[in-house]
């Protein structure tokens, strides 16, 4: 993108926020009010990539860039920082985190590169903790707004980087079995009120999901990715079940579970 294009975009943003001649919707937005739109735009970028729709991706990336420009404009209005400060901060960070590209420093392999990346991020967390006068934690700066599966994955990776992780798969699988048993124990209890029992079940279900994320991680996969693939596979098969029911001249709600299960198994074999 040419510098003139960036300046044009920033000018458009300033005009949208002009209190006299700007857009009423844009003028009333705040940092907090834009956050849901930013998250939505990020998901739309991911969806375009998943579908390999690169014409759509171009537009979605533009929408995501607009979010960055919008935040920068809000910050400039408050005297916090400007768009150029965002770019400068990013450039400095990328150069610092890639000494093997921008300096004479060399790394033996990808693992060494990743280890250096984590070292640099650790320095950043330590500096931030010192600046804010608080105790540093390896779990600092993992956004609460992340999807729960992704956040669990990041928490576990951070812990693994400091040695808090099983080295083999067996205890990971054992933990899943243990958590499943604890769920079933709570399900079978009859000495609690309904609300208390539900709270305890949900607590154990959370532990079970967390343990399953750990299994996915140990098998070198990403939980969001594998669950998305599972969703797509289920949706694809369910549509075929609907088509088969329709072909038989029936409606889904008129079929028994046994009939639907038989069709499902047939679809799986096909």
């Amino acid at each position: 993108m040419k510098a003139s294009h960036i300046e044009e975009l920033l000018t458009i943003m300033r005009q949208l926020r002009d209190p006299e001649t700007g857009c009423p919707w844009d003028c009333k937005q705040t940092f907090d009010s834009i956050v849901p739109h930013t998250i939505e735009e990020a998901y739309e970028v991911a969806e375009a990539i998943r579908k390999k729709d690169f014409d759509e991706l171009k537009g979605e990336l533009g929408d995501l860039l607009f979010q960055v420009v919008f935040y920068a404009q809000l910050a400039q209005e408050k005297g916090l920082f400007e768009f150029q400060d965002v770019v400068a901060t990013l450039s400095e960070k990328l150069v610092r985190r890639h000494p093997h590209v921008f300096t004479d420093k060399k790394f033996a392999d990808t693992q060494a590169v990743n280890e250096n990346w984590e070292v640099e991020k650790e320095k950043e967390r330590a500096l931030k903790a010192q600046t804010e006068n608080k105790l540093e934690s390896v779990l600092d700066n993992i956004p609460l707004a992340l999807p729960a599966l992704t956040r669990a994955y990041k928490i576990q990776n951070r812990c693994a980087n400091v040695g808090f992780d099983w080295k083999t798969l067996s205890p990971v699988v054992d933990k899943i079995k243990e958590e499943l048993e604890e769920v079933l124990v709570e399900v079978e209890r009859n000495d609690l009120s309904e609300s208390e029992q539900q709270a305890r079940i949900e607590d154990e279900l959370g532990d079970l999901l967390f343990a399953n994320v750990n299994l996915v991680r140990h098998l070198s996969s990403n939980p969001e990715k594998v669950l998305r693939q599972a969703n797509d596979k289920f949706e694809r098969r369910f549509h075929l079940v609907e088509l088969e029911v329709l072909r038989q001249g029936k409606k889904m709600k008129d079929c028994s579970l046994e009939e639907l299960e038989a069709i499902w198994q047939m679809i799986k074999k096909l």
Side-chain angles (χ1 to χ4, degrees):
M1 181 180 290
K2 296 180 180 178
S4 59
H5 291 163
I6 286 288
E7 188 53 46
E8 179 183 9
L9 178 58
L10 296 176
T11 300
I12 291 171
M13 186 69 253
R14 286 192 292 270
Q15 291 176 327
L16 289 172
R17 286 282 296 179
D18 188 289
E20 300 295 332
T21 61
C23 169
W25 185 89
D26 290 280
C27 287
K28 73 177 184 179
Q29 298 310 308
T30 66
F31 284 106
D32 292 330
S33 69
I34 299 175
V35 168
H37 301 285
T38 307
I39 295 172
E40 180 180 345
E41 297 298 351
Y43 275 117
E44 289 179 358
V45 167
E47 179 66 10
I49 293 173
R50 188 186 70 83
K51 295 189 299 185
K52 301 295 185 290
D53 188 342
F54 296 109
D55 286 337
E56 182 73 12
L57 177 61
K58 177 176 63 177
E60 298 300 348
L61 285 172
D63 293 342
L64 189 57
L65 175 60
F66 178 68
Q67 301 295 307
V68 177
V69 171
F70 209 139
Y71 288 120
Q73 176 63 29
L74 292 174
Q76 183 177 359
E77 293 169 6
K78 292 180 177 295
L80 301 173
F81 57 81
E82 300 181 5
F83 179 78
Q84 296 303 328
D85 298 320
V86 175
V87 175
T89 300
L90 174 60
S91 297
E92 185 277 330
K93 183 188 297 183
L94 289 174
V95 170
R96 175 165 42 81
R97 289 184 176 180
H98 295 83
H100 53 296
V101 176
F102 299 103
T103 72
D104 294 333
K105 191 170 184 177
K106 302 298 180 184
F107 296 113
D109 50 30
T110 302
Q111 181 178 350
V113 171
N114 291 337
E115 288 174 354
N116 178 75
W117 180 275
E118 291 301 328
V119 167
E120 289 299 325
K121 290 175 68 175
E122 168 60 25
K123 290 178 182 178
E124 293 169 12
R125 289 195 294 269
L127 179 60
K128 183 174 181 180
Q130 183 179 3
T131 302
E132 297 177 354
N133 194 28
K134 69 176 186 179
L135 181 66
E136 179 193 357
S137 170
V138 72
L139 300 181
D140 284 345
N141 304 327
I142 301 178
L144 290 172
L146 283 174
L149 283 177
T150 297
R151 193 161 190 274
Y153 179 71
K154 284 186 172 291
I155 288 172
Q156 292 171 6
N157 268 336
R158 290 276 187 91
C159 293
N161 287 334
V162 294
F164 191 70
D165 193 20
W166 283 303
K167 303 301 181 184
T168 61
L169 197 61
S170 179
V172 178
V173 175
D174 290 342
K175 187 63 177 176
I176 292 175
K177 295 176 181 177
E178 174 189 327
E179 297 297 350
L180 178 57
E181 285 299 321
E182 291 180 2
V183 170
L184 297 178
V185 166
E186 296 302 332
V187 170
E188 296 299 324
R189 290 186 68 157
N190 56 13
D191 60 335
L192 300 172
S193 69
E194 184 176 343
S195 61
E196 289 174 327
Q197 183 180 26
Q198 184 61 27
R200 293 179 72 105
I201 289 173
E202 290 179 359
D203 185 61
E204 297 299 345
L205 285 172
D207 292 343
L208 177 59
L209 282 173
F210 194 84
N212 275 278
V213 170
N214 204 25
L215 175 62
V216 173
R217 185 179 62 84
H218 271 265
L219 293 175
S220 303
S221 294
N222 182 290
E224 288 285 342
K225 176 184 177 183
V226 298
L227 185 56
R228 190 179 303 116
Q229 290 172 340
N231 289 341
D232 290 345
K233 179 169 63 176
F234 182 89
E235 187 175 14
R236 183 174 64 252
R237 288 176 175 175
F238 191 80
H239 285 327
L240 292 174
V241 170
E242 290 177 314
L243 287 173
E244 177 60 22
V245 170
L246 184 63
R247 189 192 67 79
Q248 295 180 11
K250 302 177 181 178
K251 295 182 179 180
M252 292 285 293
K253 63 181 181 181
D254 296 329
C255 295
S256 67
L257 178 58
E258 289 74 17
E259 290 175 302
L260 294 175
E261 177 64 20
I263 296 173
W264 177 268
Q265 293 300 329
M266 179 189 71
I267 297 298
K268 283 184 65 175
K269 291 179 180 179
L270 292 176

